[in-house]
Amino acid sequence: MMSGIPTLLGAPYDASSSYLRGPSQAPPRIREALYSPSSNLSTESGRSLAETTWWHDAGDLSLSSSVTARADIEAGVATVLRADGRPLVLGGDHSVTYPVVRAVAAAGGPFTLLHFDAHADLYDELDGDRFSHACPFARIMEEGLVTRLVQVGIRTLTAHQREQAARFGVEVIDMRAVAAGVRPQVSGPVYVSLDLDVLDPAFAPGVSHWEPGGLSTRELLTMLQAMDGDVVAADLVEYNPLRDPTGMTGMVAAKVLKELLDAMTR
């Protein structure tokens, strides 16, 4: 589908959040944690982010207007793709995934979307907003942008979202299934969308929506490391620094970021 160097791109947008603002402040805080002297830049496989020949940081998009934000995000990701980059987008709320996926799909070739989250984000609309952070996967599936949607860690399905999942043929591996030993099986080109609230709040309290009963950090990292697919793009969203006074969730985000970058080079 596409080659290229993993490239970070910040999308500091949270105007489509339904509960709390704050994720727009996440990209610089994740970078701050990444470079914290309390840790180091090595992935668990031994690859070092200190070596910048294998990955790139394109900085943050300027998203001054919520009216044009989706178009600006899509255009920014398209720029990364034209420069032979594999985008890893730092949100922002989960609404950013829709324009990112649009740009990746336009670059050519079918792919699977592997989505880690407490929430299915399949609402047709929420509070009158069809582009809410609770709706991106409904928009993605309506437009036929991916060949397969696999959701992992879900534990908040409403009746409406169950209907939506059935309508779109979504493969939902909820937390009860995870507890029973089910793991995602993906191959070929894969886009990974990772909402930090897939983790239990005990591991990542710095998110807007606390939903008990989630993955441990270790379980998530193991799933990322076990992926067989070719990770052509990814996003890491919904870190809310305003709910992270100790910075612990920022360090979790940085750890996940390192392993995502590593997965994009396998």
Side-chain angles (χ1 to χ4, degrees):
M1 175 177 172
M2 60 185 72
S3 59
I5 183 170
T7 302
L8 290 189
L9 181 68
Y13 176 80
D14 62 10
S16 295
S17 296
S18 62
Y19 176 52
L20 296 175
R21 297 290 183 92
S24 64
Q25 301 180 31
R29 290 288 297 274
I30 295 174
R31 290 186 183 89
E32 179 183 337
L34 180 66
Y35 291 103
S36 170
S38 70
S39 185
N40 63 53
L41 291 170
S42 291
T43 69
E44 293 193 353
S45 71
R47 182 178 279 114
S48 175
L49 273 68
E51 299 294 332
T52 55
T53 56
W54 67 274
W55 72 286
H56 177 62
D57 189 343
D60 294 343
L61 294 169
S62 177
L63 303 173
S64 57
S65 170
S66 60
V67 175
T68 63
R70 286 191 303 277
D72 292 341
I73 293 167
E74 187 172 344
V77 173
T79 298
V80 169
L81 292 165
R82 284 194 298 271
D84 199 30
R86 292 190 178 210
L88 198 173
V89 174
L90 302 179
D93 67 37
H94 219 150
S95 71
V96 308
T97 298
Y98 170 53
V100 177
V101 169
R102 278 178 58 92
V104 175
F111 57 94
T112 293
L113 205 168
L114 179 58
H115 169 208
F116 293 92
D117 205 325
H119 316 91
D121 293 347
L122 282 167
Y123 282 102
D124 183 60
E125 59 85 23
L126 187 69
D127 299 328
D129 183 4
R130 287 173 55 79
F131 299 100
S132 163
H133 71 159
C135 305
F137 297 96
R139 303 290 81 80
I140 287 166
M141 298 306 285
E142 282 174 350
E143 293 188 20
L145 298 176
V146 303
T147 56
R148 183 182 174 208
L149 173 57
V150 182
Q151 299 185 320
V152 182
I154 309 299
R155 50 196 188 274
T156 61
L157 279 178
T158 63
H160 169 65
Q161 293 205 86
R162 290 180 189 278
E163 292 171 358
Q164 290 282 86
R167 171 189 173 194
F168 294 126
V170 181
E171 301 168 49
V172 179
I173 303 174
D174 65 18
M175 278 308 302
R176 294 174 302 170
V178 170
V182 180
R183 296 294 182 269
Q185 303 294 323
V186 295
S187 60
V190 178
Y191 180 118
V192 177
S193 182
L194 203 156
D195 185 325
L196 279 173
D197 68 27
V198 72
L199 297 171
D200 191 277
F203 298 93
V207 295
S208 298
H209 299 265
W210 293 329
E211 190 60 43
L215 295 174
S216 71
T217 306
R218 185 72 263 160
E219 287 173 322
L220 174 60
L221 295 175
T222 298
M223 289 186 198
L224 294 177
Q225 292 163 349
M227 287 187 300
D228 289 331
D230 178 22
V231 182
V232 297
D235 63 62
L236 177 59
V237 299
E238 294 287 356
Y239 169 45
N240 189 338
L242 300 182
R243 303 195 97 184
D244 190 32
T246 67
M248 181 179 73
T249 306
M251 293 302 293
V252 172
K255 176 74 171 181
V256 172
L257 172 60
K258 287 191 291 186
E259 296 306 310
L260 272 174
L261 285 169
D262 196 44
M264 294 176 82
T265 64
R266 291 202 298 267

